[in-house]
Every structure is written in C-alpha cells, then in structure tokens.
Amino acid sequence: MAAGEADHYTKGLLRLTMACNERCPFCNVPVEDYAEPTPSDEAVAAELEAFLASGEETLTISGGEPTLQKRRLLAAIAEARGRGVPFVELQTNAILIDDRYARALADAGLTSAFVSLLSDDPALHDELAGLAGAFPLCLRGIDALLDAGVAVTLNPVVAHQTQDRLATFVEFVHHRLPRVRAISLSAVQPHGRAAKQLDLLPDYAVLGPEVRRAHARAEALGLLLLNPYCGLPLCVGWSDRRLASVEALEAERAWAGGAEAPPGIDNRGNKRHGAPCRRCALRTRCGGAWHAYWDHRAGRGLAPPLTTRAPWWPDAATQPGQAVEVGRANQLHEPLQRLARQSAPTLWLFVDGLAEGDAAQILASPCTDVAILIDGPIPHALARELAHLRDGGRAQDDQLRRCVTLGTRSLGSFTEGHALVEQAAALGVRALELLLVATPRHARFVAAMAERHPTIELRLGDAAVGG
C-alpha cells in the first residue's frame, strides 16, 4: 500500500536541477559532481510519469535548488496534483521565494515545504549556506510560504558549528516562526563536499545531550522533532523516540514483513554497526553510524541505551527492549509465532539446537536473535543451520541480520577452546559467552581470542546460568 506524507515512509523524489544558488560546504549532492546539472524537460517529464504510475502518495521535488526552475517547478506541482497526488513537498533554501512566488506555488497545489534554515544565528546560517545575507532571505521565504497556506518543516542540517545550539534553535523557531510545527534534525553526512571536510561532522558526544535538551524544549513548546534517514543513530538522543525516527519506523516495518525493501533501510552501504552496537537492544531499528563517523571520530558518543541479555541469564525475560521465547530443534513453529506477536526490538529464540530447515523458518520470521547452549564443539547439524543463517544475512545490512549467541559451560582445554572460537567465527556467530568462573588464565585466553577474531564478541561470565 502506498504511504502518504504523514507516515514518513514513501516519498518519490524528483530533482529538477542540481544547480544551486547557495554553496553549502556540506552539500551531499553538489553541482560540480554532475556533468549535466539540469536535465531536459523530456527527462523530467519521464521521471514524473514514472512516479505517477507508481501510485505513491507523496512527491518530493528537490535539487540542487528547484526554485531556480520556476516554470518547470510550477508545472510539475500542477501536473502531480492534477493527477491525484495528495501531497507535493518542495525541498528548498527558500531565498528566492517572495510573496508572489509563494502564492504561485500554493495555487499550483504545493502542500508543504522542507526548508533548510541552518541556524538561528545569522552568521552561522550564512557560513553553512555559503552565501552572505542568506539568513533574512530564508526567513522571508518561510513567512511567504506560511502566508500562502503551505505547511513548513524546518531542516537545520546540524554541523560541528551548530551541534550545541539545538535547544536555542527550538526556542528561536517558537518565538520567530510560531506557525512552524515541525523540525527535522538532519545532520551533516560524509558525502559530496563534506567527504573532503570531515570536521564538519558533529560530535555525537556533544550532540546527544543537546538533542535531549532540544526534545525537552520542543515538548514544552508544542513542537515536533523528527529524525530523518540522514539524521542520527538512535542512541544520539532518539532511543525513547523511535516513532519519530524514519529509519526505526522503516526497520520495524521490514521486520514485521510489511515491505521487501523499504526506502532507506538498505543504507546503500553508507552506515554500519560498530562494537558499541553489538549488545544494543535497539540495533534492529538503527543502521548505526556513517562509516566516516566511526573512522574520523572513532565512534564518540555512541553507546547502547538498552543492553541485551542472553536468555540463559535469569533476568533476561525482564530486560527492557527484548523478549524471549523458548523452543526445541525441529519444533520452532509455535515459539516463532509467539515471537511474531511481540513488539520488542530484540526478539530472542532460545533453543537447544537447530535441525534441518530450522534456519529457513527463522529467516522467514521476525526473530532477531538466536541463543544456543552448547557443550564442546559445534555439532555438524547445528553448524549447517548456522551457516544458512550466516549466508541468509550476507546481502542485508547490520540491523536486518539475525544474530547468533552461543553459550558454553565447558571450554575444555585452551586448544579446544581456540578451535571452538575459530569454528564460531567462521559460522558468523556474533557472540560466544563462556559461562565459567573467571580466572586470570581465562581472561588472558579471551583477550587473545578477541584480538585474533574481532568479528565475534567473547564474554567471560559467572558459571551460574538460568533456564
């Protein structure tokens, strides 16, 4: 089913030109990257026709700066609305929009505008827009759109220069633009021009607390804050506001089987999970951070707001963010059905092993994590099914992969333990918990194996286990 503007899911994108009248240093689609910045009328018409044939309900018209193409812009809006599209959104810096232009846009049928007001501070706004004097022109454009009856969402693309000003920005919007009810907290992404200026990336250790302060002010003032796909990982101020996070909503729908490839959820290879994400109960709803953020800022400010707990621990069933169902090999239908009725972001299946065909059932279910206690080497039948789970997730990004955690109460000799770690790592096991009384020798073994096999998390815990 097509989803409309209010759902924050499906939005067709039509770029009228890649030319722009601003020079944002963080632009992820800069004009210099395009040999032919402005497509022909025929090419634009063909793209629009393809969107209209899709049956989707929200068309986003963007650029570059689409207001540079006034004739083409008004014609595209009118065509889409005349063909039954209920929502047409304009992404714009708004500096060309005066009262007459705004009225023409509204008369053509424009329903909303997504405006890049980059800061409440005029100097910072103009610095990030790359254009002196842009701030008052942007405010003029926003006022004109609102006067014409076009809903406006603001898009302050948070950069290192503005990472500590979000609460102030919310206050400014409340007082200067009281008719605006929504702010989308995009953040600089390391693409386009920003790929060569990585210091523009905000520091999540600073930004996370500031996002939480901004939420508090927005709630008090009746403003809605949104976390778009190009926004922030959930742990950077959004862990308890997943319903306002596009990526989390799309991931939830994907796990529930509501879409084969919801927009954005494949991350297009742009993001990944890191070590702090491994035990995060929200990892299934979050794509992690940009590759360049892990590399340039070493993952600063990223930490699990909710931590998973393997099902053999007595408190696992009450751990926030997860649910546990117990099953037996070759008898997974009912426990998987029970998991499908759970809403937690981490859904554990705790089994005594896996029989032939069990991996296929798990891959077709909402189960996110599998936990298995073993005693000694991984049995052949289990290894075969673990390989199926591993291979079934190869084409998926981190938040859509099933994760396997193994636990053992008998390590055997360190030679046998080394062989077990090698085997588990080769089968794509995410974590191996050694449920043993910790000794210095065990600690040294875990440290050595962790260095040798960084893809698998090794944990050394108490001998006591539940279940």
Side-chain angles (χ1 to χ4, degrees):
M1 178 183 294
E5 184 178 66
D7 294 312
H8 309 296
Y9 285 136
T10 304
K11 293 191 176 186
L13 181 63
L14 179 66
R15 294 191 187 276
L16 298 186
T17 180
M18 304 313 299
C20 188
N21 48 0
E22 291 188 336
R23 188 77 180 178
C24 302
F26 57 81
C27 181
N28 65 310
V29 285
V31 63
E32 60 268 20
D33 286 356
Y34 295 84
E36 297 182 8
T38 302
S40 66
D41 284 345
E42 292 75 17
V44 170
E47 282 195 43
L48 179 57
E49 191 61 37
F51 168 80
L52 294 170
S54 73
E56 306 295 359
E57 295 182 359
T58 297
L59 173 65
T60 296
I61 301 178
S62 186
E65 177 49 49
T67 59
L68 291 170
Q69 297 283 321
K70 185 174 183 179
R71 174 192 58 81
R72 183 178 285 184
L73 173 58
L74 295 175
I77 297 169
E79 178 70 10
R81 292 304 308 278
R83 298 274 293 276
V85 177
F87 305 106
V88 177
E89 175 189 71
L90 172 65
Q91 291 186 349
T92 178
N93 58 40
I95 66 174
L96 292 181
I97 299 177
D98 56 14
D99 289 337
R100 179 177 295 182
Y101 201 161
R103 174 50 54 194
L105 292 166
D107 289 345
L110 184 67
T111 55
S112 63
F114 193 69
V115 180
S116 52
L117 179 64
L118 301 175
S119 177
D120 59 292
D121 180 278
L124 286 175
H125 173 92
D126 290 1
E127 176 186 342
L128 292 172
L131 180 67
F135 183 76
L137 295 176
C138 182
L139 290 178
R140 180 196 68 174
I142 293 169
D143 289 336
L145 288 164
L146 292 167
D147 289 344
V150 176
V152 172
T153 294
L154 298 179
N155 180 36
V157 184
V158 183
H160 196 266
Q161 297 95 313
T162 55
Q163 64 189 11
D164 59 350
R165 297 186 60 89
L166 288 184
T168 303
F169 185 89
V170 169
E171 292 278 359
F172 172 82
V173 171
H174 172 69
H175 292 292
R176 173 59 181 81
L177 300 165
R179 291 176 291 176
V180 171
R181 308 313 310 152
I183 301 170
S184 182
L185 295 183
S186 300
V188 171
Q189 49 184 299
H191 306 122
R193 292 178 190 145
K196 300 175 183 177
Q197 302 181 72
L198 292 179
D199 285 346
L200 288 168
L201 291 173
D203 182 339
Y204 293 166
V206 175
L207 189 52
E210 185 63 17
V211 170
R212 288 186 280 275
R213 284 190 287 270
H215 279 302
R217 293 307 302 139
E219 288 174 0
L221 298 172
L223 281 163
L224 174 65
L225 299 188
L226 301 171
N227 188 22
Y229 171 72
C230 53
L232 298 166
L234 290 178
C235 61
V236 187
W238 291 94
S239 59
D240 57 349
R241 291 173 171 82
R242 299 197 300 277
L243 293 180
S245 297
V246 170
E247 190 173 72
L249 289 170
E250 292 178 347
E252 186 170 326
R253 187 171 68 150
W255 278 108
E260 293 184 5
I265 197 61
D266 64 357
N267 286 323
R268 297 184 297 277
N270 289 330
K271 299 179 182 178
R272 72 174 187 262
H273 288 170
C277 309
R278 285 177 172 171
R279 298 191 67 188
C280 181
L282 303 182
R283 68 158 186 90
T284 63
R285 303 297 188 263
C286 177
W290 307 110
H291 297 304
Y293 189 84
W294 294 108
D295 300 336
H296 185 67
R297 298 212 184 276
R300 270 178 51 86
L302 297 170
L306 297 175
T307 304
T308 59
R309 186 83 159 150
W312 38 75
W313 299 106
D315 59 348
T318 59
Q319 194 79 358
Q322 68 178 43
V324 178
E325 290 291 343
V326 179
R328 297 184 65 82
N330 204 30
Q331 299 177 36
L332 299 188
H333 179 70
E334 288 188 8
L336 289 176
Q337 280 196 325
R338 292 194 297 269
L339 276 183
R341 294 191 289 269
Q342 300 280 358
S343 59
T346 293
L347 300 178
W348 284 99
L349 177 66
F350 186 17
V351 287
D352 58 347
L354 293 176
E356 185 174 359
D358 284 350
Q361 288 190 66
I362 292 169
L363 289 170
S365 79
C367 170
T368 67
D369 289 70
V370 180
I372 308 169
L373 280 173
I374 59 173
D375 185 10
I378 299 172
H380 176 72
L382 175 57
R384 182 183 61 243
E385 295 302 300
L386 292 180
H388 288 169
L389 287 176
R390 176 201 62 199
D391 295 343
R394 285 193 191 278
Q396 295 175 320
D397 275 281
D398 292 338
Q399 75 268 47
L400 294 183
R401 290 188 186 130
R402 274 74 180 176
C403 290
V404 175
T405 297
L406 300 181
T408 181
R409 289 169 284 194
S410 177
L411 185 62
S413 69
F414 286 121
T415 299
E416 292 170 327
H418 177 250
L420 175 60
V421 174
E422 295 266 0
Q423 187 183 21
L427 290 169
V429 171
R430 180 187 66 173
L432 175 62
E433 294 198 0
L434 308 181
L435 306 171
L436 310 167
V437 176
T439 68
R441 290 186 69 203
H442 286 134
R444 288 194 296 271
F445 170 79
V446 167
M449 290 296 97
E451 184 175 353
R452 184 180 179 91
H453 297 285
T455 62
I456 184 170
E457 184 176 8
L458 300 176
R459 306 172 195 154
L460 179 60
D462 295 333
V465 294

